[in-house]
Amino acid sequence: VNVRYSRNINFNGNFGWRSREGEGSNTYSYMGGVNFSNFLIKSMRLSTRFAGFTNYYTSGYNPSVSVTKSFRYGHYLGVSAGSYIYTLKNNSTNNINNWLRLTGQLELPIRMYLSGNYEYDWGDDLKGHRVLAELGYRY
């Protein structure tokens, strides 16, 4: 579901349900979020999101927030942060993982682009840095 409240505010959400024959419980997932366009200044977007799930083995949720600034010609920079919090049902183990991500993209001549991500993760499952760079061509 996607609902535009006003010119600069958009709400979205979804719900999923999966049932497998022979499995003792169903899987449920859900997500809700709100996006604010032209947040504080023109071409800046604030996005918030809350997602969750439960299945036979685990249950958890994932809140996140991001701010992205678009520039002329399709360039952009963004920063986002979030957590992934879940519980293993067989032993009631709680796990928390956090991340902070910087993203950007430069539009290059002849329909090419250069994009990159830097991510720092900390928590129970992941710790450390990740870097991703991509050089692409648009058909």
Side-chain angles (χ1 to χ4, degrees):
V1 174
N2 195 349
V3 176
R4 181 169 298 282
Y5 176 74
S6 70
R7 182 175 177 189
N8 294 323
I9 301 174
N10 182 47
F11 295 95
N12 55 71
N14 64 47
F15 175 79
W17 168 69
R18 181 177 181 178
S19 177
R20 291 184 183 175
E21 188 174 322
E23 193 170 283
S25 72
N26 297 322
T27 297
Y28 299 96
S29 62
Y30 53 90
M31 187 278 300
V34 61
N35 301 314
F36 301 92
S37 300
N38 297 316
F39 178 72
L40 299 178
I41 60 175
K42 185 177 178 183
S43 299
M44 184 176 281
R45 174 188 287 257
L46 171 69
S47 299
T48 62
R49 181 177 181 264
F50 186 89
F53 67 92
T54 185
N55 59 42
Y56 183 75
Y57 302 103
T58 58
S59 64
Y61 55 95
N62 169 232
S64 63
V65 62
S66 67
V67 176
T68 305
K69 171 68 172 120
S70 298
F71 300 95
R72 294 178 73 181
Y73 310 112
H75 310 305
Y76 70 84
L77 289 173
V79 61
S80 56
S83 293
Y84 179 56
I85 299 131
Y86 68 96
T87 301
L88 298 173
K89 291 183 178 179
N90 66 344
N91 61 7
S92 298
T93 301
N94 295 315
N95 294 292
I96 300 174
N97 297 288
N98 304 295
W99 50 267
L100 178 64
R101 185 179 302 138
L102 303 173
T103 60
Q105 182 164 298
L106 291 172
E107 294 296 324
L108 303 173
I110 61 169
R111 300 192 321 230
M112 295 186 72
Y113 65 91
L114 177 63
S115 67
N117 291 337
Y118 165 76
E119 181 174 306
Y120 178 68
D121 298 286
W122 70 98
D124 295 320
D125 297 330
L126 297 172
K127 292 177 181 76
H129 307 270
R130 294 185 202 194
V131 176
L132 169 71
E134 178 179 66
L135 177 64
Y137 177 77
R138 299 188 199 286
Y139 292 96

